Amino acid sequence: MQQLTSNVFVETEVRGCNFGYVTTSDGIVMIDSPHKPSVAQRVKAEIEGKGQLRYIINTEPHGDHWTGNSFFDVPVIAHEGVRTRMLNTDLDEHVARLATFGPEEPKLLEGYQFNYPVITFKNGMTMHVGDHTFQMIHMPGHTPYQAAILIKEEGVVFTSDNIFHGVQTWLHEANPDLWLVAVESLRKLDEEIFVPGHGAICGKGYLDEQGAFVLEWKEYVKGAIDQGMTRDEAVANLTKMTDRYPMDVEQDGMAPMVMRMNAGNLYDYLTGA
Ligand SMILES: [Zn+2]
């Protein structure tokens, strides 16, 4: 994995969300976990060579951020909405989908059980591990249950999917107005190094582009509503927004589905459905 600062290591080039870990004077804390079981195994071996893993912090409710929790026997911390989402996820369906991710995956999924968050927060929480401070701040936008995780001593923020850096933005569960508030909240932080939910490491310089794209999405769907399109018509006819950025790693071919899901969600949001 890529070393970002003295104690922060990240992975941004595999299928699923970006994730990372922080080496402290009293063990290791992982932020989000790998989506693919085979990647989780590799990361587990890497971490074991560096110290004892103490906690996992999840940044949001989407499965690519918490699937890999199960491969690590440590307590998980997350927004309470992440726990609720996991409790409502069908285990068999989840495992069946993961098994399609590659030839190595089915065997690694034998006996798979969810590793749920056992410590949850609503608005925020601060955790001290060794010489490091982990500040979790609720920042709804991409979903209602996003959190930014600040690693104070390292100047690093794991932003969750409120930032998609140079890859397709998923708005299938988004509140675009709160997302724009989240972008401004990120801008006000002291920390300058951002680990986005997807895409390469970035900084505050990308916030304008991310915010503008969320706003453009909202205006695009609003235009269809103003023309009198029904939801079905909007989902079928709006196609232009997903040609701007590539899909993230191993998501090729998914752009039309993302287009439909984003358009449908924003249509519901804008019409109050
Ligand atoms: Zn997400």
Side-chain angles (χ1 to χ4, degrees):
M1 287 169 62
Q2 176 191 349
Q3 183 164 10
L4 194 57
T5 64
S6 335
N7 294 291
V8 177
F9 298 78
V10 296
E11 176 60 82
T12 64
E13 294 176 356
V14 297
R15 180 174 186 156
C17 74
N18 293 336
F19 54 86
Y21 62 87
V22 183
T23 53
T24 82
S25 59
D26 192 19
I28 294 171
V29 176
M30 189 154 77
I31 320 292
D32 282 331
S33 58
H35 202 187
K36 286 173 86 163
S38 56
V39 175
Q41 293 290 20
R42 173 169 68 70
V43 171
K44 187 174 186 173
E46 176 173 326
I47 287 178
E48 277 169 0
K50 295 208 166 148
Q52 190 189 352
L53 185 63
R54 299 283 308 280
Y55 300 98
I56 296 172
I57 304 169
N58 291 143
T59 64
E60 63 154 83
H62 291 148
D64 56 326
H65 295 255
W66 51 253
T67 291
N69 293 0
S70 304
F71 298 92
F72 303 88
D73 186 21
V74 293
V76 178
I77 302 159
H79 190 278
E80 61 181 19
V82 176
R83 178 178 163 87
T84 305
R85 179 67 53 86
M86 287 178 71
L87 288 168
N88 290 321
T89 299
D90 185 287
L91 178 67
D92 293 338
E93 277 177 29
H94 191 73
V95 169
R97 181 155 176 276
L98 293 170
T100 68
F101 283 9
E104 299 171 87
E105 312 307 328
K107 189 165 170 33
L108 297 171
L109 287 160
E110 285 169 13
Y112 181 94
Q113 295 290 333
F114 293 134
N115 184 4
Y116 300 102
V118 289
I119 302 167
T120 60
F121 59 88
K122 227 180 201 156
N123 298 316
M125 174 175 172
T126 302
M127 179 169 78
H128 303 272
V129 180
D131 49 7
H132 279 81
T133 312
F134 299 82
Q135 191 179 356
M136 302 151 226
I137 306 175
H138 181 214
M139 288 192 192
H142 169 70
T143 78
Y145 316 118
Q146 302 302 119
I149 316 299
L150 284 50
I151 322 298
K152 302 299 293 184
E153 290 76 9
E154 305 288 327
V156 172
V157 184
F158 286 74
T159 70
S160 79
D161 290 4
N162 281 329
I163 300 182
F164 286 83
H165 180 207
V167 293
Q168 199 52 242
T169 296
W170 294 57
L171 299 99
H172 59 307
E173 197 184 349
N175 176 320
D177 294 310
L178 289 180
W179 196 327
L180 294 172
V181 172
V183 164
E184 293 316 308
S185 300
L186 291 169
R187 202 190 300 276
K188 289 191 195 117
L189 298 177
D190 294 332
E191 291 72 21
E192 300 278 351
I193 305 169
F194 287 176
V195 183
H198 296 265
I201 301 303
C202 61
K204 291 181 181 171
Y206 188 68
L207 290 171
D208 283 341
E209 182 171 337
Q210 182 66 70
F213 194 57
V214 169
L215 189 59
E216 187 180 335
W217 256 107
K218 181 184 160 193
E219 295 299 323
Y220 183 54
V221 177
K222 184 173 182 299
I225 294 167
D226 290 346
Q227 284 170 40
M229 276 193 211
T230 65
R231 187 185 194 281
D232 286 349
E233 286 166 350
V235 168
N237 295 321
L238 300 183
T239 55
K240 82 159 191 182
M241 295 296 284
T242 43
D243 51 13
R244 184 90 43 95
Y245 299 102
M247 295 299 298
D248 197 8
V249 181
E250 292 179 39
Q251 291 184 347
D252 292 338
M254 291 169 75
M257 181 193 78
V258 174
M259 184 70 225
R260 292 190 295 272
M261 287 166 54
N262 287 1
N265 175 59
L266 291 176
Y267 191 100
D268 291 341
Y269 174 76
L270 290 163
T271 56

